[in-house]
Amino acid sequence: MVQVLLVEDDVAIRTALTRALREHGHVVTSLASGMPALSAAVEQKPDVILLDLGLPDVDGADVLSMLRAVSDIPVIVATARDDEAEMVRLLDIGADDYVIKPFTAGQLNARIKAVLRRTGRTDEDPVLTVGGLSIDTRSYEVTVDGRPVELARKEFELLLALARRAGEVVSKRDLLSEVWQLAWGGSDRTVDVHLSWLRRKLGESAAEPRYLHSVRGVGVRLVAPEVAG
Ligand code: CA
């Protein structure tokens, strides 16, 4: 189980996120201000910290700087400001990732998992399976019903991003961010093109999908063929 320290002064957001993250199977401690959070981070050593920047006692960025002086616990910052210069500054002072308000618990959970993987703190099974599809994240081998499928790097990463959230509709925005590291800009067309290559290699098409289902105007969902409705 992942121990999450949630630092957020807005009680409605804090309550909703705590509940949602617990539903995702995490152990959540929540605090409403910066200095107690700093003590808790050092004493409890959570696996990951979600840090709101607008806190009543200390600016979240200052909390992050102070934390980085003593700890390398992964930190995801939550901000209302969709401002590239600000994001770069936060990443420079030691944030591992960020979410822009308003964000969903599903998005946050995906970011938490991504940060834990990047920092080598995950116990994820190295082989993901969805129906007859198998993805080995160590050897980069993909098979469908036992048949090997050769994928280019971005096709593999796209498939993996979808498989890690199998059953969920993942937005193209999230895919551009997770697979292409394009937090801003980037075109849905990039996703569409790679999706079409991926479909061909998996032996399906948009018109006759098996695993990869486009949900118009929302995103893409990967499901095992037998449960696709
Ligand atoms: Ca706040």
Side-chain angles (χ1 to χ4, degrees), residues 5-10 14 30-40 51-52 54-58 63:
L5 174 60
L6 179 63
V7 190
E8 166 64 66
D9 61 313
D10 183 309
R14 193 169 70 239
S30 74
L31 290 166
S33 55
M35 293 316 290
L38 204 53
S39 316
L51 180 63
D52 178 38
L55 294 171
D57 57 341
V58 206
V63 175

